[in-house]
Amino acid sequence: MELQSLIYLFVGVSFAVYIGIALWAKAGSTKEFYVAGGGVHPVANGMATAADWMSAASFISLAGIISFKGSDGGAYLMGWTGGYVLLAMLLAPYLRKFGKFTVPDFVGDRYYSDVARTVAVVAVIFISFTYVAGQMRGVGIVFSRFLQVDVNTGVFIGMGIVFFYSVLGGMKGITYTQVAQYVVMIFAYTIPAVFLSLQVTDTFLPQLGLFAQTSFEFSDGVKVIPEGTYLLHALDQSIQDLGFAAYTEPGNMWNTFMLTTALMLGTAGLPHVIVRFFTVPTVQDARVSAGWALLFIAIMYTTISSVAAFSRVNLIKNVQNVDYQAFVKGELTHKDGTANNGNWFKTWEKGGLIAWTDINGDGKIQYSSGAAFEGAKGKPVFDGKKLAADGHRITTNAKPARNDGTIQNELYVDRDIMVLANPEIANLPNWVIAFIAAGGLAAALSTAAGLLLVIASAISHDLMGQVIFKDKKTGKSTMSEKSELMWARISAVAAICVAGYLGINPPGFVAQVVAFAFGLAAAAFFPTIILGIFDKRMNKEGAIAGILTGLIFTFAYIVYFVFLGGQKEDYLFGIAPSGIGTIGTLLHLIVAYVVSRMTPPPPQEIQDLVESIRIPSGVGEAHDH
């Protein structure tokens, strides 16, 4: 079967399954909408948690970052993995025992304040929309390539799919959909990884392929890398020949540390992951579920570094110094007689995610360090209607940029395409390429749905139910369950519309946007949650001041240096915007602690409550407070 037909088949079947599950698991109550009724099996919840946590950034973008940044990209692996362990072991059991399934609900009750709850709602919505922008961009990227539509149309299709199983099914529908998405995602990632490992190194396990020897000879345009060279050594030599820093050479260790810390603390404060620990029956089940999720996450995360290395080698081997016309027509072969088919290049080129400009006029693609195009951040600006005489897309409002390297760079590659394009670059079977398309969509849609539900819950449950429509005498919501469920669905629809807009107009590439969201989550929530569990003296004044300080500082820093033209030399302590969440977290911690000591202590019943959630004897049903 031809590639496009297989893609339609794989994606169509997976979408039919997701929608079918949503209809089967339609939420009939607020408890089912918010926490899937609290009756999900720990293993199933572990799969759903893994799918929720491994977003488009993990599936689509992370290997691309490592592929281009080398060892510095490991900050994302360490930060996200370490952050999940931190959340699962240090926070989740206590939050589960406290019995409040949203961060604003925890903040509002622990800090006995509607103002604190409202501030937390605003922060949750803000962070979740930042995060979901990356997911919707991921959806658009996958659709633009594999369904032959533009990125914007792809985002609209994704919005429609998410609408079905998040608005109708709520957390119940999302949970069981995410189980199916995890299965699709993990097979879609590991099967191509096995193929690539066998192709590049003759090693079956991709995790070991990173340390194996290459199984072919290839030229980087300067030297020939002989067969049998260790993969990491081959990468170091080839990209240094092309003017890049060595793949294994660490860069700015200070920024790597700050980014890793921000990602860890942000993971522990992410609201859509925290709510997962309330979809199982008991506290003990929450602990077991966390262990299963870590195992399911590790299957992919131990594979990512190898996929990153394979993709960079394949890019250089297949693209460097080849004749463009013969390449895109599929007329080239490698020395071993295997095809070097460049049809994929032309397809990705149409979406503006890869581009070539013939600077020296020799008709060959030259790849080296330096921007291929001048313009905003070196990215080409495409005129969708104009094509050069030789068929490749030309740029407007941008001109070729020259560099001083041995080779002038003529190639622009969006790092978000590396995982998705890699099976095509390597000329793998069509069914493998179709499978990875379904997996990429599963990754983006699963996290997007979880985030959209968090936004809906924050508006309907926390803001409307617990603040706007709260009886001041009884302290309980005056909304009926039917009314709250209606508002939850309306909020979800509104959130999907905003998410779609952000997907069409993203503030950066997928993993960069996600890193910003994690930094904001760290600075806004981590200290208030951790102090709320372990510090009886922490009060509402400290929490409010801390949340506002961390969120405003981190947001202002990101906006100034990413969107308002701030210069690198002006970075605070040399910290890049992606890692500034660490400083925001520290400021939050200091401000919250100092303010709490300068203001009255919390009521005695709150102090007793904090004491009770740390006692391990109640490993049964969560308490309602």
Side-chain angles (χ1 to χ4, degrees), residues 130 132-138 141 151-152 155 377 379 416 499-510 512-513 563:
T130 304
V132 85
Q135 310 313 307
M136 298 311 290
R137 170 171 160 78
I141 288 172
V151 174
N152 293 358
V155 171
K377 299 184 180 179
K379 290 190 175 184
D416 283 340
Y501 173 80
L502 293 173
I504 293 169
N505 302 281
F509 60 86
V510 174
Q512 183 186 39
V513 176
F563 304 108

Side-chain angles (χ1 to χ4, degrees), residues 72 102 191 199 209 226 246 265 272 283 380-381 451 518 548:
D72 283 355
T102 69
I191 289 174
Q199 184 187 80
L265 301 179
H272 76 292
V283 175
V381 182
L451 289 164
F518 276 73
L548 290 174

Side-chain angles (χ1 to χ4, degrees), residues 34 71 99 102 184 187 218 235 279 300 308 354 380 395 479 508 602:
Y34 294 139
S71 60
T102 69
V184 172
F187 280 107
F218 70 98
L235 265 176
T279 56
M300 181 187 289
I354 196 167
T395 63
M479 294 176 69

Side-chain angles (χ1 to χ4, degrees), residues 45 49 84 87-88 92 96 273-280 286 289-290:
N45 197 58
T49 304
Y84 179 78
L87 170 62
R96 178 64 174 83
V273 178
I274 290 173
V275 73
R276 278 267 152 237
F277 297 96
F278 293 85
T279 56
V280 291
S289 172

Side-chain angles (χ1 to χ4, degrees), residues 345 349 352-359 369-382 392-403 409-413:
F345 193 101
E349 203 175 21
L353 297 172
I354 196 167
W356 169 66
T357 183
D358 195 3
I359 293 176
S369 64
F373 301 90
E374 292 177 354
K377 299 184 180 179
K379 290 190 175 184
V381 182
F382 293 105
H392 75 272
R393 195 165 291 258
I394 61 175
T395 63
T396 58
N397 303 324
K399 57 184 178 179
R402 294 182 178 271
N403 60 54
N409 186 37
E410 300 176 344
L411 184 69
Y412 164 74
V413 184

